[in-house]
Amino acid sequence: MPFTRRLASLVAVLLASALSLLVGCASPSSSMSDSLQTYPPIVFVHGNGDSAALWLTTLWRFESNGWPRERLHVIELPYPQARDNDAKPQPGRSSTADYMAYLKAEVERVRRATGASQVVLLGNSRGGYAVRNYIQNGGGAASVSHVVLGGTPNHGVWAIKGYNEGSEFSGTGPFLTGLNAPKNANGDEVTGPVRWMTVRSDNNDKYAQPDGLWIGAKGTPTNVGHDGPELKGARNVVIAGLDHRETSFSPAAFAATYQFLTGRAPTVDIVSEARVELSGVVTGLGLNPSDPASGDYVNNLPLAGAELSIYETDATTGQRLGAPVYTRKTGADGRWGPFKARAGMAHEFELKAAGYAITHVYRSPFPRSSGIVTLRPERITAAAEKEAAALAIFTRPRGYFDARRDTLRFDGRTPPPGVPPVGAGVSNSRLRLDSAADRAITAEFNGEPLAGRVWPAAAGHVTVLELTY
């Protein structure tokens, strides 16, 4: 996309900064440069409450640098949210053991399918816990050559003795103290012979903060520093300004990762394909059966019976350019596609499903094909939203909004509603409108524009403007 090229010079500066701040291992990490032609399989491991779809642009960047699409494997944990207490079963949540077992099975499946003796693992946030647990405690050390962890809170989101130590995110709890126990006389926290790299922000990761603001305890020390994601014995990369998700999904993080794996600098531009084919899964939201009043929880389970219609739209107004160019009612597997998109076209994905709002998702043009375009319908739940004439959501799945760092606007509002003046802590903005009159509603984030239409909430409609970058 045109605006990605404008990021190239910025990425070069960020990467130079990152490489200058490398903290080396006891011995230098070897690369795959001698065997790059074999393109070892890479397994991508998502974070807490997330899905495979967040790796979309990272896969495109690997493909744009020659990595075969069939060597890139993205897992999707059915219940991606961590338990409040790792040792206690919780409806719709997964334990550290659950995630490790799921990852182990997927790695073995990829090894069988590709014939490779080893894979590369890339983990974001909580996904890094599953990676470390598998290698240390699940027999994965022989099956993995390289690991890159982006924004994984390796020393906890908090490290307060006696406070919620049953959570896997507690730096003083049994899970992380076990993972971080010294592995050798040097006190390394990583398991060999796997070669490790971490990527972290200098100070803008919401889950690596000395103050408890983002865990609902403003003014309380977390006993975790900005360097919390680093691991002794790993190559630790620091990239200024990145938010929590960008430690895996940004161009700068990709560049550092590719350099680590291959010994070569990549292009961060996404190379467009002449033919774009899209597919994915429609997923839903679950209700806690033991406590329905607690609200929705996120899952990655397929949503059967969802009706999907895809429209080509005017990129500046969101107006439909005719009848649907694709329709599908999902079966038990929730899958849709393949849909052959015209190059350069923006799209509206209209979802209808029982128990959900009619959700209109507007996306900018797709430069490349993808099989992980996840779609999820919304619900109108809060009283204030039910009373609004129209509801619009502006969302950035692969990063957060930072009013000081970013150029962003939503329906003319700068910063958008709900975006704090300081810090990268939220990834969506919800706008309640007092009129449902049909009109364009636009948003922009650092050069990526989006345009949709206003739909009436009283008739059960919601507008979603979803960023790609």
Side-chain angles (χ1 to χ4, degrees), residues 55-373:
W55 293 104
L56 174 74
T57 54
T58 305
L59 267 62
W60 284 345
R61 290 189 171 97
F62 271 105
E63 293 170 9
S64 296
N65 282 276
W67 219 282
R69 183 170 289 160
E70 62 271 17
R71 306 290 276 186
L72 304 172
H73 303 268
V74 188
I75 73 171
E76 188 144 67
L77 188 66
Y79 296 103
Q81 287 186 287
R83 294 174 177 177
D84 293 333
N85 185 317
D86 193 44
K88 296 182 179 180
Q90 189 174 1
R93 303 291 187 99
S94 57
S95 68
T96 55
D98 293 336
Y99 208 167
M100 181 184 75
Y102 191 85
L103 173 59
K104 181 176 183 176
E106 287 296 294
V107 169
E108 292 308 307
R109 184 188 64 78
V110 169
R111 291 178 63 212
R112 288 193 301 270
T114 63
S117 60
Q118 291 185 311
V119 302
V120 174
L121 295 181
L122 269 58
N124 171 251
S125 191
R126 185 198 182 204
Y129 288 170
V131 170
R132 295 184 66 196
N133 201 14
Y134 165 57
I135 292 172
Q136 180 172 322
N137 301 315
S143 301
V144 180
S145 64
H146 291 66
V147 166
V148 179
L149 306 180
T152 297
N154 286 309
H155 294 91
V157 177
W158 62 86
I160 305 170
K161 202 67 179 170
Y163 172 72
N164 199 14
E165 291 184 304
S167 169
E168 65 186 79
F169 299 111
S170 168
T172 55
F175 176 69
L176 283 181
T177 54
L179 285 186
N180 293 332
K183 308 300 186 292
N184 52 34
N186 293 327
D188 288 347
E189 297 172 307
V190 296
T191 303
V194 179
R195 293 175 285 279
W196 297 77
M197 185 174 84
T198 72
V199 181
R200 72 167 175 93
S201 175
D202 56 344
N203 59 19
N204 203 28
D205 185 333
K206 67 183 291 186
Y207 297 121
Q209 294 293 326
D211 183 85
L213 170 65
W214 296 114
I215 61 172
K218 183 178 181 180
T220 300
T222 64
N223 300 324
V224 175
H226 301 308
D227 61 351
E230 294 187 1
L231 287 170
K232 187 173 183 180
R235 174 177 290 186
N236 297 299
V237 176
V238 183
I239 305 181
L242 294 191
D243 65 45
H244 179 66
R245 289 179 179 167
E246 288 173 339
T247 56
S248 288
F249 309 126
S250 67
F254 167 76
T257 298
Y258 192 91
Q259 181 89 35
F260 174 68
L261 296 180
T262 69
R264 304 190 312 202
T267 176
V268 298
D269 290 341
I270 293 172
V271 178
S272 296
E273 291 180 308
R275 299 177 55 147
V276 174
E277 188 171 283
L278 306 174
S279 60
V281 179
V282 178
T283 62
L285 297 167
L287 286 174
N288 185 338
S290 63
D291 184 13
S294 65
D296 295 337
Y297 62 80
V298 174
N299 64 52
N300 290 321
L301 301 178
L303 183 61
E307 298 178 37
L308 170 65
S309 299
I310 303 177
Y311 297 83
E312 294 181 337
T313 62
D314 184 295
T316 59
T317 67
Q319 191 69 51
R320 294 174 178 176
L321 298 180
V325 291
Y326 177 86
T327 59
R328 174 68 180 267
K329 186 171 185 177
T330 60
D333 61 0
R335 293 205 61 84
W336 64 273
F339 161 59
K340 294 181 180 179
R342 284 203 297 160
M345 291 302 303
H347 293 93
E348 172 197 343
F349 298 79
E350 181 188 66
L351 285 168
K352 297 178 180 178
Y356 295 86
I358 301 170
T359 305
H360 306 265
V361 182
Y362 295 87
R363 296 285 299 265
S364 51
F366 286 78
R368 297 184 64 85
S369 299
S370 177
I372 57 169
V373 183

Side-chain angles (χ1 to χ4, degrees), residues 420-434:
V422 176
V426 300
S427 60
N428 64 75
S429 172
R430 302 175 79 89
L431 187 60
R432 303 175 186 92
L433 302 173
D434 56 10

